[in-house]
Amino acid sequence: MPLDAETIAVSTDRAAHEWRRGRAVLLQSATGNYLALAAETLSETALDQALAQALALAGAGAAEAALALTAQRAAVLHILPNGHDTLLLPLAELPVPVPERASLIRDLADASRDLAAPLRGPYQRLRGAPPQAAAAAIKLAKVAYLLPAAVLIPLGEAVLSELLVRVQVEAITAYDQAAAESLKPVSQARLPVADAEDARLYAFRAADGGPEHFALVIGRPDPGQPVLARLHSECFTGDLLGSLRCDCGEQLRGAVRTIRESGGGVLLYMAQEGRGIGLVNKLRAYQLQDEGFDTVEANLRIGYAADERWFLPAARMLKLLGFSSVRLLTNNPEKVEGLAAAGIEVAERVPHKFPANSHNEAYLATKKKRSGHYL
């Protein structure tokens, strides 16, 4: 029976929060169940307890416990690729004594020590295609804004205590789509802002209970015409603190001015910090950039893609506001393609760039060279 939207949203969100607390969840799939823990929040006690529980229930199957890593992170650790986005390292073959396994697992997931204290392999991966549960575990870590790595302990058909939070692989796989499609406006108010006094702010919330997205509608744009629109991913450091490492703050304020001067439009403020990896992981990427890696390389080293955003939530918001066609303020071709793929006509791409400073020159150059931005 297909999962309903509420089950998808609630079960995945609960599991993600359990992982942020350092607790295990029961990951269920058609091919068997797994006791799963997030690598970033893993403790020796939690790992020992989970392995003991699995051994009691599944016997020798517990010996197949493994660490799931993304192909990007595995490449950094010089682990041979397997042709899949996810691979597994058997815990039994980790080159450390048993009491130190959790510490090594956290280090394997975390790129912050790669250069200062290189990890000594070689690390052996399991052969063959990883189970669907491995990719689902990586996705769950991303939903929780944790480092994308997880411990999987197979249980076969065995099931643990009812007190354990459960989530199906299918729910995690369908999570993004279900969350975007469940977005709905929950509040709105007139909001005069410094560069556009005639503005109204709308809040949109999804069924998963996650952070809200916002839309600032400036003036009275005509839904029958392509609306001037900006998709802006939230940036705490740039938007609020005025960080010079990026151009986000300038893009945000410049978009409001441009929209107001053009007679009206909409600015979507998306809860997609750090191109979808979250603020904590963005700070990790900044640390790596200070060690000489560019913004793309930094994301890949911590196990994420160069850009984890997608654009169905933005398309859903635009449609709920009555807009089906936009003149898009952006330098990013992926935004144009992503919005069009989500059912919004992009009638025109409107350039939206600002002068570099000494702190973000390399960042902007990387966006142009590595990500194809029109800069």
Side-chain angles (χ1 to χ4, degrees), residues 6-301:
E6 183 176 2
T7 298
I8 291 169
V10 173
S11 63
T12 304
D13 187 61
R14 284 178 176 170
H17 279 81
E18 286 294 278
W19 271 15
R20 290 178 66 86
R21 298 183 184 102
R23 298 175 181 173
V25 302
L26 181 64
L27 189 58
Q28 299 178 302
S29 75
T31 57
N33 300 322
Y34 295 81
L35 197 55
L37 303 99
E40 180 177 341
T41 56
L42 186 68
S43 68
E44 299 289 353
T45 299
L47 179 60
D48 289 344
Q49 289 177 345
L51 289 169
Q53 287 179 311
L55 184 61
L57 283 168
E64 300 171 5
L67 171 64
L69 293 172
T70 65
Q72 296 98 321
R73 181 64 188 149
V76 173
L77 298 169
H78 305 293
I79 299 169
L80 293 176
N82 63 353
H84 299 276
D85 293 335
T86 306
L87 50 75
L88 295 172
L89 306 184
L91 298 195
E93 296 186 22
L94 292 182
V96 293
V98 170
E100 298 175 17
R101 283 181 301 191
S103 177
L104 176 58
I105 287 168
R106 292 193 302 271
D107 287 346
L108 288 169
D110 188 353
S112 64
R113 297 176 64 248
D114 284 353
L115 297 185
L119 295 168
R120 302 297 181 187
Y123 301 102
Q124 301 299 320
R125 60 168 172 79
L126 292 174
R127 296 187 179 276
Q132 284 186 313
I138 294 295
K139 177 59 185 176
L140 184 61
K142 291 180 178 182
V143 171
Y145 291 112
L146 297 172
L147 292 168
V151 172
L152 292 177
I153 307 172
L155 302 174
E157 296 301 318
V159 177
L160 292 176
S161 165
E162 291 289 337
L163 297 177
L164 200 67
V165 169
R166 305 178 184 197
V167 60
Q168 295 186 41
V169 164
E170 291 80 5
I172 299 172
T173 302
Y175 176 77
D176 284 342
Q177 184 87 15
E181 291 178 350
S182 69
L183 274 172
K184 62 181 181 180
V186 292
S187 182
Q188 60 170 290
R190 184 178 62 85
L191 187 70
V193 296
D195 292 308
E197 294 186 25
D198 184 12
R200 194 166 194 87
L201 188 67
Y202 295 77
F204 294 81
R205 183 181 294 154
D208 67 338
E212 288 81 7
H213 302 288
F214 297 91
L216 185 70
V217 178
I218 298 169
R220 301 291 186 271
D222 181 0
Q225 299 295 322
V227 63
L228 184 61
R230 166 71 183 167
L231 275 58
H232 187 90
S233 299
E234 68 179 357
C235 179
F236 171 79
T237 50
D239 299 342
L240 186 61
L241 301 181
S243 168
L244 298 176
R245 295 187 70 137
C246 64
D247 57 345
C248 299
E250 293 172 297
Q251 286 188 330
L252 174 63
R253 291 180 289 274
V256 172
R257 288 192 301 270
T258 299
I259 292 171
R260 186 256 304 163
E261 291 168 357
S262 74
V266 59
L267 182 142
L268 301 185
Y269 196 80
M270 310 301 298
Q272 298 174 330
E273 178 80 50
R275 295 181 187 164
I277 69 174
L279 179 56
V280 171
N281 287 316
K282 184 173 82 170
L283 295 180
R284 290 181 170 124
Y286 277 175
Q287 287 181 310
L288 292 171
Q289 290 172 37
D290 287 341
E291 293 179 5
F293 299 101
D294 68 33
T295 182
V296 171
E297 294 166 340
N299 276 28
L300 298 179
R301 287 190 74 86

Side-chain angles (χ1 to χ4, degrees), residues 352-372:
H352 190 60
K353 57 185 178 181
F354 299 86
N357 62 58
S358 60
H359 300 278
N360 68 15
E361 283 178 334
Y363 165 76
L364 294 177
T366 298
K367 288 210 293 186
K368 179 178 181 179
K369 181 178 179 181
R370 300 289 301 273
S371 302

